[in-house]
Amino acid sequence: MGTVTAPPPPPGPTTTGGSRQAISVFRGDIARRALIDSLLKLDPRVQVRNPVMFVVELGAAITTVTWVIQLAGGHALAGHDPAWYTFTIAVWLWLTVVFANLAEAFAEGRGRAQADTLRSMRQDTVATMLDGTTKRADALTRGDRVVVLAGELIPGDGTVVEGIASVDESAITGESAPVIRESGGDRSAVTGGTRVLSDRIVVEITQEPGQSFLDRMIALVEGAARRKTPNEIALGILLAGLTLVFMIVVVTLRPFGLFAGTAISDTTLISLLVALIPTTIGALLSAIGIAGMDRLVRRNVLALSGRAVEASGDVDVLLLDKTGTITIGNRLASEFIPMPGVAEAELAEVAQLASLADETPEGRSIVVLAKQYGLREHDMSALGATFVPFTAQTRMSGVDIGGQQLRKGAGDAVIGFVNAAGGRPPAELQPALDRIAREGGTPLAVARDSQVMGVIYLKDTVKEGMRQRFDQLRAMGIRTIMITGDNRLTAAKIAEEAGVDDFLAEATPEKKLELIREQQNQGRMVAMTGDGTNDAPALAQADVGVAMNTGTQAAREAGNMVDLDSNPTKLIEIVEVGKQLLITRGALTTFSIANDVAKYFAILPAIFAATWAYAGSHGKGPLSVLNVMGLGDPRSAVISAIVFNAIVIPLLIPISLKGVQFRPIGASALLRRNLLIYGLGGLIAPFIGIKLIDLIVHNLLGA
Amino acid sequence: MTVDGWLTIVLFIVVLTALAVPLGGYMAAVYSDERTWLDPLLGGPERLIYRALGVDRERGQDWKSYAKSLIIFSLVGWLLLYLILRTQTVWGFSGLNPEGFHSMPANVAFNTTSSFLTNTNWQYYGGETTLSYFSQMVGLAVENFVSAAVGISVAVALIRGIAGRSGRSLGNFYVDVTRTLLYVFIPLALIVAILLLSQGVIDNFRAYVSFKGITGVSQTIAMGPVALQEAIKLLGTNGGGFFNTNSAHPFENPTAFSNFVEMLAVLVIPAGLVFTYGKMVGSRRQGLSIYSAMMMMFLGAVVVVYIAEAHGSPAQHAAGLHTAYVNGAGGNLEGKEQRFGIASSALFNVVTTVTSCGAVNSALESFTGLGGAIPFADLSVSEVIFGGVGTGLYSILLYVLLAVFIGGLMVGRTPEYIGKKIEAREIKLVVIGLLVTPLAALVSTALAVSSRAGRVSIDTAVTGHGPQGFSETFYAYLSQANNNGSAFAGYSGLVQPRAGNLGAHGIGLADYLGGFTMLAARYIPILFVLAIAGSLAAKRVAPTGLGTMRTDNGTFVVLLIGVITVVGALTFFPALLLGPVVQGLTGHLYP
């Protein structure tokens, strides 16, 4: 890093939070489309992918057939059930499947709306090749070189190999301020569908047809490219296993009942089965996954796989670049150190005068600091000042004013200047310069003619709020490691100031890669952000590699996520989304299973109300006392349980789309909290819900 | 309820824990191949055994190889035992068949062989009227030792898998079985046998003694080599009594002290293994959290049974029998031995039904409705409250993995247990491993109650086809599926007109269905447990952080108990309703 020249300011907005708005589920067109889709998804070929809901659909089909037979006057399958009972159960079983489909369709609908917006950006463009011929944009292949002029759309993803231009990327980032794209360096990647606003660039295409960034993004938000993530697969197995257990429980209940002289109808057995199998989580599982992806897209992060999103919830170590991420990236004046015989205010005034024309952030910061000494801005033209700009040869800048030469610059350059003017730098100068360098700052010496006035302390400033962010990460169980090219001392000082857990000083791409491997060998999951080509190997090695959209094509391809805002602290939000995804699944699974207890207490006493009744027990069997909810009669009890089971699905759609909130309060506290809400809540809620529904059903039946 | 009764329970738990902790540490040394103080004595014989078997003790086995050895070993054991039971008459020359008993019928022999091989020790027969001393000693007693050692070896393999650092080896099956027998079972069995002998347990080869009692009725008193077999029956959580009445028989369990020793013998290894586990995975707290979960469920069961039995049944209240003064305590004394009383009977039966022991010192079917429902509940949670030797630990670890998975999701991380990620493969194995036992119990009960061939086993003379008939059948298959072996008496698989098998025949469905249930419910989970061990052994260990769900604190203990009880309750609730719950809710007697 240079000593005086500022690194480029961090690109993109520094505030976090998506520029994309959540699309309301209740938008008319989405709701309409979702309703249609939820019916189309009744196709058994679709349902069979979700064993839990497939069983429900099968049950719905059987009860429907039973009802049709009853209508035709037959009694097969129905037993002693009245037709209205079979019909009611059949309707609610179908509704259960439809509600599940609706949840998925809503989630997909939101994604599709996002995709439509993106698709409208994709226009058929004609690319001008380097040799002057033209080619349709969708026929471009890797390696083609195209020329793009101001006002034209860039025909495909690629790297700028010649020229510099400002580009409007709002189509994909939602950020309206244009960005600079230039050949060479770390900001050479351009995205198809974005518009060149000025100048002319030559772009080498890096994509194959139909594989562009925009294409992938559309496929992703639509859910077309969605594959089940590892934890989703594991949970799916658990749910299928539970479904199998309950099938055996229900199938064996018939002979058990017959032994006790109680015949149980197919309709009632199917109802019991549907009530027991984890329909709630089974219905919402895919919606949760799609919604998680959608939440990322809304935060302007593009995950190239669902696996990466899930992995982000597991991250143990976060590697962050110091410059631009932890520190502002510009060094700001923080202190004036006068030499003996010079007043601090005098030094401040000289420094201010020497910096007035300096438009670099450092220069401006000197002027700002000097203001604290009560110095107001001088009217330079009145003083007849001549500015001396910074050059790489002199490594100084300043002003000639009133016959005096004021200069500020690197220590050795100013010493040379003073020597040349016949002066002698004071003995205190060198120790002051050394001390600042040692502390990680940048010293600027200030001279007036042959006299060294003092030193300006330029400090690497930690961004506001970083310490809180790291504290938050630590509470989530994530360690932050700062990566910097600075020497150890400087790195240690800034690391302490920023509150990171560890740092890697004098970092090179190899050292970075080595650090990641080392952490991974210790079993840790590593996340990092990067933008440069030399970050690419590390991005590829990290478990979660977030490439900045402003970065090079190599970096974007190496990572498994792209942050369209190019905001390095976005990782914190990504981690939250990943955790939320898992928490939502776990919480609803717990809720679903806990619900079963109440459903047993609703349905089993209903089935066995008259079992083992004896003379003098008024037709009531001993098990009827287990009707703790006091449900009206056996049939309304079964119907109420099934109705509760069905309507709890749409009631939980908002939670599954929004996600259960993640709180950085430590795993144990989080577990306790979710166990209380979803475990205990899941035990209690259905007792209340089923009772309320029974009050309605029972009265409707007029029993 | 009496103060004495509660003190017995408290004293038992204190002594048990005090013994289990050092035993657990000792076993950790045994299975980590470290030197123990018994090495100078046993190292020689141990090396001799390896040389004879051609076992290279340094050669570790991956899970498939370990499982293969286990299956071959078990198969050989099964054939040998079956052969002994079927050729009982042939071994008369040894002098170990003084009563001249005939061989067991084929179907009962199938059931009995499967029963002892699987550590179930379900008995359709009465020992003193069916088996010669040779069959008891060379057949059953040996299998008592060996089947228990197999159970422990599986648990140890799983521990190594969890503790393993990116390896494939789970240890060597033959080494584990040998070391279990030499360093754990034989020394402990000798100690327990001597303590029992001191209380009056018999150990001889004499013919049965016949005499005329003071009432002038002639009686026969059975004899036999009881003490050592009794010791391993308890230590190996086998539970198959030498005599038909099991630990209620005065020659098996003569005094209150022997009763206390027997209860300790049942639980000390299962409880100790939990501490072995903690030590071997490098975190005593992990072992402690499992121990706490087990102990809480155990205490809950003991308290309920004791209160229920001390209170007595509604019928006893109606007849005024509950206040009968016996040793200062009233309550339900039907089917209980006066020398044990209510507290020790309640405690003993909880001890043997939470473990896969299944020994009894009183009649379970004579317990009150609630008191009798607890053994059902103990079995419904798949023997994880201490459980069988080895089986209890590996079964609860399956539940632990399930709890870790659900809880892990709720804290927003891919679930990890002791640093190992629990992924789709493990969940698949855990789910199947956990399902086999309950499914086997439900399906075999359904077959038995719905078929004429199954219903003939029900004791119709006493109970008809009322809820008791269902309870008997359900308990029989629940007990066999859990490899427990205790029974709600009445369900039979052997028709024996007189002692000694002459003219005896088995009841085919009960014998074969039970036999296959025991074999399936023992070996299928074992294979899945070993597969999980193999899968975990190869995994990298992730360090724990603030974001990792802890499995060594109270929250996890609560979650674990919740998962165990909810899964058990959801699976068996309907069946329990039709059996013990109906019986508990009504005083009506069904014809």
Side-chain angles (χ1 to χ4, degrees):
Chain A
M1 181 174 294
T3 45
V4 180
T5 46
T14 46
T15 52
T16 55
S19 44
R20 240 171 262 277
Q21 287 305 303
I23 294 172
S24 166
V25 184
F26 302 104
R27 234 171 66 181
D29 55 330
I30 293 182
R32 213 170 306 121
R33 177 84 190 266
L35 277 172
I36 296 167
D37 276 356
S38 63
L39 294 177
L40 292 177
K41 281 171 189 277
L42 287 174
D43 186 340
R45 284 168 301 181
V46 177
Q47 289 298 322
V48 79
R49 276 181 285 170
N50 182 344
V52 181
M53 295 320 291
F54 185 66
V55 168
V56 181
E57 185 169 46
L58 222 56
I62 294 171
T63 46
T64 309
V65 171
T66 309
W67 177 65
V68 170
I69 294 172
Q70 279 177 309
L71 281 190
H75 285 289
L77 300 173
H80 299 293
D81 289 341
W84 64 262
Y85 170 72
T86 315
F87 175 75
T88 314
I89 295 289
V91 167
W92 280 97
L93 293 186
W94 283 116
L95 280 176
T96 308
V97 186
V98 169
F99 287 156
N101 292 343
L102 208 57
E104 190 179 78
F106 268 133
E108 284 174 350
R110 279 218 294 209
R112 204 178 292 117
Q114 305 261 28
D116 287 344
T117 322
L118 292 173
R119 207 175 271 117
S120 66
M121 299 295 168
R122 192 173 58 180
Q123 298 171 18
D124 287 331
T125 42
V126 176
T128 311
M129 307 299 285
L130 198 54
D131 57 13
T133 60
T134 57
K135 203 169 176 181
R136 282 176 52 86
D138 53 14
L140 288 172
T141 54
R142 196 182 287 266
D144 284 349
R145 290 191 170 201
V146 298
V147 180
V148 192
L149 300 175
E152 289 180 351
L153 281 176
I154 297 173
D157 297 351
T159 303
V160 180
V161 290
E162 193 187 316
I164 175 168
S166 62
V167 179
D168 172 12
E169 294 194 337
S170 59
I172 54 166
T173 63
E175 174 60 47
S176 56
V179 292
I180 302 295
R181 291 287 178 260
E182 59 187 327
S183 62
D186 287 347
R187 288 187 294 161
S188 59
V190 288
T191 309
T194 57
R195 190 178 294 278
V196 172
L197 294 178
S198 69
D199 304 288
R200 165 189 182 276
I201 49 175
V202 176
V203 175
E204 184 174 312
I205 299 296
T206 52
Q207 62 156 97
E208 295 298 341
Q211 302 265 303
S212 76
F213 197 65
L214 209 55
D215 290 325
R216 277 191 292 173
M217 193 159 162
I218 290 168
L220 212 78
V221 294
E222 271 193 326
R226 210 180 90 80
R227 284 216 195 87
K228 284 189 177 173
T229 55
N231 281 317
E232 201 179 348
I233 293 171
L235 184 54
I237 291 168
L238 176 62
L239 299 183
L242 285 172
T243 306
L244 183 71
V245 178
F246 289 126
M247 279 176 90
I248 303 284
V249 168
V250 168
V251 167
T252 54
L253 193 55
R254 164 156 291 169
F256 292 175
L258 286 176
F259 186 86
T262 306
I264 312 167
S265 73
D266 282 344
T267 308
T268 303
L269 277 182
I270 288 170
S271 305
L272 177 60
L273 175 62
V274 170
L276 291 179
I277 60 177
T279 48
T280 313
I281 179 68
L284 298 171
L285 192 56
S286 67
I288 294 169
I290 297 169
M293 208 62 144
D294 186 55
R295 278 200 296 281
L296 263 192
V297 171
R298 279 201 326 262
R299 285 175 171 80
N300 266 345
V301 175
L302 196 50
L304 303 182
S305 73
R307 187 182 279 264
V309 183
E310 239 182 45
S312 62
D314 293 347
V315 164
D316 301 296
V317 179
L318 190 55
L319 303 189
L320 287 177
D321 271 325
K322 184 199 76 175
T323 308
T325 307
I326 295 171
T327 60
I328 295 175
N330 302 315
R331 299 170 172 230
L332 303 181
S334 67
E335 190 184 349
F336 291 120
I337 303 158
M339 288 299 112
V342 180
E344 204 169 321
E346 195 183 1
L347 168 64
E349 186 178 10
V350 174
Q352 184 200 38
L353 285 171
S355 306
L356 277 178
D358 185 351
E359 284 301 319
T360 63
E362 286 90 342
R364 283 198 298 263
S365 77
I366 295 170
V367 176
V368 169
L369 184 67
K371 271 188 186 165
Q372 293 175 5
Y373 293 85
L375 300 171
R376 277 176 295 133
E377 292 198 31
H378 297 257
D379 185 353
M380 302 307 287
S381 52
L383 296 169
T386 322
F387 295 111
V388 181
F390 177 87
T391 69
Q393 284 77 38
T394 60
R395 291 186 295 136
M396 290 186 301
S397 64
V399 66
D400 292 343
I401 185 166
Q404 286 180 324
Q405 289 188 319
L406 312 181
R407 292 290 182 274
K408 70 172 202 300
D412 53 342
V414 171
I415 290 168
F417 171 79
V418 171
N419 284 338
R424 265 177 59 92
E428 290 82 356
L429 176 62
Q430 201 57 45
L433 293 173
D434 289 346
R435 178 177 68 86
I436 295 170
R438 208 167 46 239
E439 288 177 1
T442 307
L444 282 186
V446 180
R448 184 170 62 196
D449 296 328
S450 62
Q451 186 193 5
V452 176
M453 306 291 292
V455 181
I456 307 171
Y457 192 153
L458 291 183
K459 216 173 176 179
D460 210 354
T461 316
V462 174
K463 281 186 188 170
E464 230 171 282
M466 289 316 280
R467 184 173 274 277
Q468 288 89 315
R469 291 229 139 192
F470 297 137
D471 288 345
Q472 207 181 338
L473 281 167
R474 209 167 296 117
M476 287 184 193
I478 298 172
R479 290 175 66 241
T480 330
I481 301 181
M482 183 183 84
I483 308 283
T484 173
D486 293 342
N487 63 49
R488 282 195 61 81
L489 279 171
T490 312
K493 188 149 173 69
I494 293 177
E496 195 206 324
E497 202 175 320
V500 295
D501 299 285
D502 202 353
F503 62 87
L504 175 71
E506 288 157 6
T508 60
E510 295 76 39
K511 270 184 148 178
K512 241 188 205 180
L513 194 60
E514 198 183 307
L515 175 70
I516 295 176
R517 290 220 174 103
E518 184 193 310
Q519 293 288 334
Q520 286 174 334
N521 285 337
Q522 290 168 14
R524 296 197 170 88
M525 296 279 273
V526 181
M528 72 164 285
T529 54
D531 54 3
T533 300
N534 57 20
D535 287 333
L539 276 174
Q541 179 70 34
D543 300 286
V544 177
V546 183
M548 302 290 102
N549 189 42
T550 51
T552 61
Q553 193 63 28
R556 289 189 352 185
E557 280 177 11
N560 44 18
M561 290 191 203
V562 177
D563 177 20
L564 300 174
D565 294 338
S566 304
N567 170 9
T569 55
K570 188 67 80 57
L571 255 171
I572 295 170
E573 286 166 63
I574 296 174
V575 167
E576 277 179 6
V577 170
K579 286 192 179 294
Q580 238 186 354
L581 198 61
L582 295 187
I583 294 174
T584 310
R585 286 193 196 125
L588 293 185
T589 304
T590 308
F591 184 81
S592 199
I593 297 172
N595 270 204
D596 281 359
V597 175
K599 290 171 189 165
Y600 262 145
F601 275 98
I603 296 180
L604 290 179
I607 294 177
F608 297 122
T611 302
W612 295 122
Y614 46 90
S617 69
H618 309 291
K620 276 186 164 179
L623 293 174
S624 53
V625 302
L626 293 179
N627 182 6
V628 289
M629 285 178 266
L631 303 182
D633 69 86
R635 292 205 170 93
S636 90
V638 175
I639 292 172
S640 304
I642 285 300
V643 170
F644 176 83
N645 189 55
I647 62 171
V648 81
I649 296 171
L651 287 179
L652 289 176
I653 287 180
I655 286 189
S656 56
L657 294 191
K658 230 178 90 211
V660 172
Q661 208 189 348
F662 170 76
R663 289 155 189 266
I665 49 177
S668 290
L670 195 61
L671 178 64
R672 248 189 321 270
R673 185 188 152 82
N674 286 333
L675 268 181
L676 269 179
I677 297 177
Y678 296 95
L680 201 59
L683 274 178
I684 297 167
F687 277 102
I688 300 166
I690 292 173
K691 176 66 189 172
L692 288 177
I693 294 168
D694 179 72
L695 285 177
I696 299 168
V697 175
H698 187 55
N699 287 320
L700 273 184
L701 295 178
Chain B
M1 284 173 285
T2 61
V3 176
D4 285 3
W6 289 116
L7 279 180
T8 307
I9 292 168
V10 171
L11 182 69
F12 175 71
I13 287 164
V14 170
V15 175
L16 171 68
T17 310
L19 289 177
V21 174
L23 180 64
Y26 167 75
M27 286 192 287
V30 169
Y31 298 114
S32 307
D33 233 350
E34 289 163 13
R35 267 189 79 81
T36 66
W37 55 275
L38 281 174
D39 265 27
L41 194 65
L42 297 173
E46 188 188 359
R47 280 186 290 278
L48 211 65
I49 290 171
Y50 297 145
R51 203 166 310 140
L53 291 173
V55 171
D56 176 5
R57 69 183 296 177
E58 299 302 321
R59 200 180 61 88
Q61 292 174 299
D62 66 6
W63 80 265
K64 283 181 184 159
S65 163
Y66 200 97
K68 208 169 113 190
S69 299
L70 186 148
I71 295 292
I72 292 171
F73 183 76
S74 301
L75 207 62
V76 171
W78 194 94
L79 288 172
L80 283 177
L81 182 55
Y82 184 77
L83 210 67
I84 290 172
L85 295 179
R86 293 288 290 145
T87 58
Q88 193 158 267
T89 43
V90 176
W91 305 96
F93 69 86
S94 63
L96 293 175
N97 191 358
E99 298 300 309
F101 288 162
H102 286 255
S103 303
M104 247 188 191
N107 34 22
V108 182
F110 175 85
N111 187 281
T112 305
T113 306
S114 307
S115 173
F116 277 77
L117 198 83
T118 56
N119 198 244
T120 310
N121 305 39
W122 172 266
Q123 294 164 300
Y124 276 132
Y125 64 92
E128 66 271 45
T129 55
T130 315
L131 295 176
S132 68
Y133 297 160
F134 184 85
S135 298
Q136 294 266 31
M137 277 177 68
V138 182
L140 300 188
V142 169
E143 204 50 71
N144 267 348
F145 275 98
V146 170
S147 69
V150 168
I152 292 191
S153 75
V154 175
V156 169
L158 180 58
I159 297 176
R160 294 202 187 104
I162 293 171
R165 297 281 185 269
S166 302
R168 291 162 57 85
S169 167
L170 299 179
N172 186 304
F173 171 74
Y174 293 105
V175 173
D176 288 339
V177 168
T178 308
R179 287 181 73 82
T180 304
L181 291 173
L182 280 182
Y183 288 86
V184 182
F185 280 136
I186 292 176
L188 282 175
L190 287 174
I191 296 171
V192 172
I194 289 166
L195 285 172
L196 292 178
L197 282 170
S198 78
Q199 296 300 302
V201 174
I202 59 168
D203 204 288
N204 61 51
F205 296 114
R206 300 226 298 271
Y208 294 179
V209 178
S210 290
F211 65 97
K212 264 195 175 35
I214 46 169
T215 54
V217 181
S218 79
Q219 291 185 9
T220 303
I221 294 184
M223 293 284 130
V226 180
L228 189 63
Q229 189 170 333
E230 182 70 12
I232 191 62
K233 166 190 118 180
L234 301 157
L235 282 168
T237 59
N238 292 285
F242 194 93
F243 301 113
N244 193 25
T245 52
N246 212 306
S247 285
H249 196 293
F251 286 169
E252 282 200 25
N253 189 8
T255 65
F257 179 72
S258 72
N259 193 59
F260 197 81
V261 171
E262 293 200 356
M263 292 190 293
L264 283 176
V266 173
L267 277 189
V268 73
I269 295 178
L273 272 174
V274 182
F275 295 106
T276 306
Y277 172 74
K279 197 164 178 201
M280 284 177 77
V281 298
S283 161
R284 285 165 196 278
R285 284 182 61 105
Q286 298 288 354
L288 205 59
S289 79
I290 293 179
Y291 190 79
S292 320
M294 287 175 162
M295 189 50 95
M296 281 164 137
M297 291 188 279
F298 175 74
L299 268 179
V302 171
V303 167
V304 171
V305 175
Y306 183 38
I307 291 176
E309 294 309 303
H311 182 258
S313 69
Q316 286 165 336
H317 278 255
L321 289 174
H322 63 292
T323 51
Y325 182 86
V326 185
N327 295 337
N332 174 24
L333 279 159
E334 181 196 318
K336 294 187 178 64
E337 296 292 317
Q338 299 301 317
R339 64 186 186 278
F340 304 140
I342 290 175
S344 287
S345 297
L347 186 57
F348 192 97
N349 284 299
V350 174
V351 164
T352 60
T353 51
V354 294
T355 60
S356 77
C357 182
V360 286
N361 76 348
S362 43
L364 285 182
E365 62 274 25
S366 297
F367 273 35
T368 59
L370 189 57
I374 292 298
F376 274 99
D378 289 344
L379 295 180
S380 300
V381 298
S382 302
E383 303 291 13
V384 295
I385 310 170
F386 296 109
V389 285
T391 57
L393 181 62
Y394 70 64
S395 302
I396 202 170
L397 283 172
L398 296 189
Y399 274 110
V400 166
L401 294 180
L402 194 63
V404 162
F405 182 72
I406 294 173
L409 289 182
M410 275 196 285
V411 303
R413 265 175 86 90
T414 296
E416 291 163 357
Y417 183 54
I418 315 195
K420 306 251 172 155
K421 282 201 160 54
I422 308 305
E423 292 165 298
R425 181 179 152 79
E426 289 75 46
I427 287 302
K428 186 160 66 189
L429 297 170
V430 165
V431 168
I432 302 173
L434 279 177
L435 294 190
V436 176
T437 298
L439 294 193
L442 286 177
V443 170
S444 49
T445 306
L447 289 174
V449 296
S450 61
S451 62
R452 189 173 294 277
R455 285 197 296 264
V456 298
S457 290
I458 297 170
D459 184 2
T460 50
V462 177
T463 59
H465 283 155
Q468 174 69 14
F470 184 78
S471 289
E472 278 175 16
T473 312
F474 181 42
Y475 196 93
Y477 291 99
L478 192 58
S479 172
Q480 293 182 76
N482 279 297
N483 299 141
N484 179 280
S486 64
F488 255 49
Y491 197 78
S492 58
L494 173 65
V495 179
Q496 203 179 23
R498 66 185 75 82
N501 300 327
L502 195 62
H505 63 90
I507 298 173
L509 186 125
D511 293 337
Y512 287 115
L513 186 61
F516 283 119
T517 301
M518 288 184 277
L519 290 173
R522 166 84 163 178
Y523 289 102
I524 297 174
I526 280 183
L527 290 182
F528 281 92
V529 167
L530 289 176
I532 293 167
S535 176
L536 290 176
K539 279 181 192 261
R540 218 162 45 183
V541 179
T544 52
L546 256 180
T548 322
M549 186 184 77
R550 294 186 60 165
T551 50
D552 59 354
N553 62 12
T555 309
F556 184 74
V557 171
V558 171
L559 174 66
L560 179 61
I561 294 176
V563 168
I564 290 171
T565 49
V566 167
V567 170
L570 291 181
T571 317
F572 289 113
F573 192 55
L576 291 173
L577 281 193
L578 293 172
V581 176
V582 167
Q583 291 180 286
L585 287 174
T586 178
H588 183 78
L589 291 176
Y590 294 91

